[in-house]
Amino acid sequence: MSVIRLFTDLDGRIGLRQFWLGSIALALCLLLVQWAAPRLVEMPMAMSIIAFTKAFALFPWAALAAKRAIDRGGSAQFGIFLVCAIVLPAELQPHLGYAWRPSLDAISTIAWLIALVDLGLLPGARPDRQLAAQRAAAKPAS
């Protein structure tokens, strides 16, 4: 599976190795931007660049989670839902009262744990089926 398809396509299946390598690559890119942006531009612009990068990284992470959820025997929406459940509570905290913080933190933590165990540690549900990377790109002749 090509790198572009890995990070942009919501269809297909990936194994544990591709899921972790893709997640690590995305995390390293985010860390690089967070390190480099304040050193290259002034702080207000650096904060904008970092916020844009974090928002932009949501789709590739959702694509990885969707493909991994399909490999686990679930639907792509489950993986996308987990990414939303991890990210959205932190974005909602500034807009809600202080009393909501523990609940939102709990939602995010539970979603992280479910994603870690279900998508990141458990093997595929159907090991007899080929992964997307193992399939040939050309269609078989009729």
Side-chain angles (χ1 to χ4, degrees):
M1 175 178 292
S2 72
V3 175
I4 292 175
R5 186 167 171 230
L6 180 69
F7 291 121
T8 60
D9 192 5
L10 297 174
D11 193 28
R13 299 173 59 220
I14 57 172
L16 282 170
R17 182 173 184 225
Q18 285 180 309
F19 176 75
W20 280 109
L21 289 176
S23 296
I24 290 169
L26 280 172
L28 290 176
C29 288
L30 283 172
L31 288 173
L32 178 67
V33 169
Q34 288 178 339
W35 175 81
R39 287 165 175 74
L40 298 175
V41 295
E42 294 181 19
M43 191 51 78
M45 183 62 158
M47 297 305 289
S48 297
I49 292 170
I50 291 169
F52 175 79
T53 306
K54 286 181 178 180
F56 186 77
L58 287 177
F59 188 79
W61 252 318
L64 287 171
K67 283 194 269 303
R68 184 67 187 131
I70 291 170
D71 184 52
R72 289 274 310 125
S75 69
Q77 289 83 9
F78 177 70
I80 295 169
F81 174 75
L82 279 177
V83 171
C84 291
I86 290 168
V87 173
L88 288 179
E91 299 303 320
L92 290 175
Q93 280 183 355
H95 305 292
L96 297 175
Y98 180 75
W100 282 95
R101 275 211 173 118
S103 299
L104 294 173
D105 288 340
I107 290 169
S108 185
T109 303
I110 291 168
W112 267 113
L113 290 173
I114 291 170
L116 174 68
V117 172
D118 191 34
L119 302 180
L121 297 177
L122 296 176
R126 299 180 203 143
D128 56 329
R129 291 181 57 197
Q130 288 183 336
L131 294 175
Q134 296 170 339
R135 237 182 321 178
K139 293 181 180 179
S142 324

